[in-house]
Every structure is written in C-alpha cells, then in structure tokens.
Amino acid sequence: MRLMPFRVAADHVVEWRAPVLVVRGESHDPGEEVRGWDYLTEVTVEGALTIRNDELLNSTGLVTDPGLSGIRAVMRVDCSATSERFMDVVPLDPTGGQLRLTVRIPAGAVAEELEVRYEIVLDVPDGPVREDRAAHQRGSRLHELDRPYRFRLEGSGSAFPIEAFEFTGGEFPKDSVWLLRFQDEDLATPYLSAVRLYVNTAHEEGRKLVDGSSGTAMSVLKRDVLLQLLTRLAVGDRDDLGQDFQTDSAGEVIGALCVLFLDQTLPGAVELMRDDPGRVFALLQASTNFLGAGS
C-alpha cells in the first residue's frame, strides 16, 4: 500500500472481484483473448466488490463525518489508444452487501486495450485539515488496487474507428449509410487519428451496423472502406509506401489490412490498385465475405 497523507483502508477491508468484459453476450476474463470485437462493437465491463463497512470507517477515521453516505465505490475504465475514460460510481450498501458496477462503452470509443481499476473515494465537499489525519478533500482515494486489470481487444479485421449519429445533409449526405475520412498526408501518424468512419444512425442499415445485427452490411462496409483507403493512396505518386512504419500508425495498420485481405504488402496492394483495380475489387469480394461471397 502506498503511503498517503491521510488514513486509508487496510487491504482486507475490501474484497474485489475481477471484472469481466462482455462482448456480444460473451463474457471474457482479464488476460483472456477477446475475439469477435471490432470498432462497431459496444462492450460492457462488469465488476463487483464487497466492503466491510465498519472496518472501513474505523480505519479511515470517517465513522461519523461523513460516514458511509460520503463514500463511493468507483470502477474506472481507461483506453490509452483513444484517450477515453469511462466510469461507474455507486454509493456503499449499508448492509454490507455486494456492490455491482457496470460500464457500458459505445462502439467506436476504444481500441487495442482496456485498463480497469477499482477505487473507494471520498465524495463530500472539501473540508479543513483534520487532526486525526482523516481524508478531507473530495476525490481522496481511501482504497485502490495496486495493479489494474487489462483486457486486450483482438480485432476481427474491421479496424475502422467510428462515430455514429444521424446524418442531416451537407458534408454528411442524409441518405448515405456511412462516410469515411482518411488523412493520408503522413502515414506515420496514428491510425486512430488518420482514419475515421461515420455511420448514419438515421439509416436502417446504419443502425444495424451499430448494434451488430447485419452481417451483410458489415461485409459491404469492409470492402468499401478498404477500396477507399487504397484508392486514396493510389492517386498520385508517393514515395512513403515502402518505409517501415511504427506500430499502430496509419501505414502499419493499412499495410496489415492489405496482407489480411489481399495477401499483398502495402506497396504491392497500391500498385495492383493502379494497374488492375478490377482484380482488387474481385479479390476483396471473397476476403471480406462480400454479400456472402466467402460462405
């Protein structure tokens, strides 16, 4: 336990249950491979803990001021790849029963890895310094695990960071199902910054994509996005396609997609797109299961 400027709870006061990650109805434990996830998948983190209330209050010095009513249990989920944070905060159970915490993460908000932490925090307005060294500032951590739980997200190949909302016209045509933006000026930039897919929730097929109920639309989406990425790179001369790209850069991720779906390196796929685009279109029909082509 770290040395804190105020009194904290002893380790035995809180019993933590390892969180689980729920993907399309299937639960995964920390460290387990999470397959079937992609950027169009909403995920849920479920956690639980039990607190010995009397011992918590006695060890922290918060027996009567503020008591249990001023303390909260927190589950925090962080994604370093997208710099997103999600939290669930619940009051303590006066009976000492198990506390359940749930964090729902929308599609398109996270990637690569999730880090989950539990905390017990003080949730009252800041007060004066206390002679008994009890915590007196809002947000003070009364207890936390020394290490986080981690879930590694294994993508299924549809690596498209997305935002889902209703298209209203202008730059987002109302009748379109999706729109892709690709900033290709520097392929060394992070993929999550360079590529963004927007899905129209006002369109029936767009809604199906977001909730994962349309395999047909997903197959069309994969092929369409890959073709747009390659078309953008095939227009004009470039001298950066053959370089070694850092992990998770636009060049590295798109190159991996070319190997996965076309069995070509990035330079080879772009050259094929320039010389024989019809063949690229045809090859992607099978590799993306376009309209069930690969079934």
Side-chain angles (χ1 to χ4, degrees):
M1 183 181 296
R2 292 183 302 168
L3 184 64
M4 301 292 285
F6 49 83
R7 293 164 62 182
V8 297
D11 289 340
H12 74 276
V13 169
V14 184
E15 295 180 5
W16 311 97
R17 193 194 80 181
V20 296
L21 181 71
V22 181
V23 180
R24 302 191 189 282
E26 183 176 349
S27 297
H28 302 269
D29 295 323
E32 179 184 336
E33 285 190 354
V34 181
R35 298 193 177 276
W37 172 89
D38 57 46
Y39 286 100
L40 291 170
T41 304
E42 178 183 292
V43 300
T44 302
V45 181
E46 298 177 350
L49 64 148
T50 303
I51 300 174
R52 296 180 174 86
N53 291 336
D54 290 343
E55 294 184 53
L56 171 71
L57 294 176
N58 288 328
S59 60
T60 59
L62 302 172
V63 177
T64 59
D65 183 14
L68 289 179
S69 63
I71 302 174
R72 301 287 183 267
V74 179
M75 183 170 67
R76 191 178 76 226
V77 183
D78 291 296
C79 177
S80 60
T82 60
S83 300
E84 293 279 3
R85 169 173 290 180
F86 304 87
M87 300 174 64
D88 189 21
V89 182
V90 300
L92 302 196
D93 182 352
T95 69
Q98 187 179 69
L99 303 176
R100 294 188 177 277
L101 301 100
T102 302
V103 173
R104 292 181 175 83
I105 302 174
V110 296
E112 299 176 10
E113 187 176 75
L114 298 179
E115 183 178 277
V116 182
R117 291 182 181 273
Y118 289 117
E119 299 171 350
I120 306 298
V121 301
L122 185 64
D123 187 27
V124 294
D126 292 354
V129 176
R130 297 176 50 155
E131 292 184 0
D132 60 359
R133 290 186 56 249
H136 61 92
Q137 292 183 312
R138 189 172 209 161
S140 295
R141 294 188 180 95
L142 306 176
H143 193 277
E144 64 178 326
L145 285 179
D146 292 335
R147 61 172 182 82
Y149 295 98
R150 289 188 170 86
F151 296 95
R152 180 69 185 179
L153 301 175
E154 296 289 338
S156 62
S158 54
F160 321 130
I162 75 160
E163 292 182 26
F165 55 88
E166 181 177 345
F167 289 9
T168 58
E171 60 181 327
F172 296 101
K174 295 176 66 173
D175 296 328
S176 299
V177 185
W178 55 71
L179 182 145
L180 181 77
R181 285 185 178 158
F182 173 29
Q183 299 176 359
D184 67 324
E185 293 83 3
D186 184 2
L187 295 179
T189 60
Y191 179 71
L192 294 174
S193 300
V195 178
R196 181 66 55 176
L197 180 72
Y198 301 92
V199 175
N200 184 9
T201 56
H203 194 290
E204 181 181 0
E205 292 301 322
R207 291 193 297 272
K208 290 180 180 179
L209 279 170
V210 173
D211 63 26
S213 63
S214 177
T216 299
M218 175 62 79
S219 74
V220 177
L221 171 63
K222 289 181 181 180
R223 180 173 177 267
D224 188 48
V225 168
L226 289 164
L227 288 173
Q228 288 191 55
L229 294 174
L230 286 174
T231 299
R232 185 71 175 263
L233 294 175
V235 174
D237 295 326
R238 303 186 68 108
D239 57 6
D240 59 346
L241 298 177
Q243 71 183 59
D244 291 330
F245 293 104
Q246 295 272 342
T247 301
D248 299 326
S249 65
E252 190 267 342
V253 173
I254 297 171
L257 291 173
C258 290
V259 171
L260 178 64
F261 290 101
L262 290 169
D263 195 25
Q264 294 275 350
T265 63
L266 178 57
V270 171
E271 182 178 357
L272 184 61
M273 189 68 180
R274 289 169 177 160
D275 296 341
D276 193 355
R279 178 168 174 77
V280 174
F281 278 61
L283 289 172
L284 288 177
Q285 289 179 27
S287 62
T288 62
N289 196 31
F290 181 70
L291 299 179
S295 61

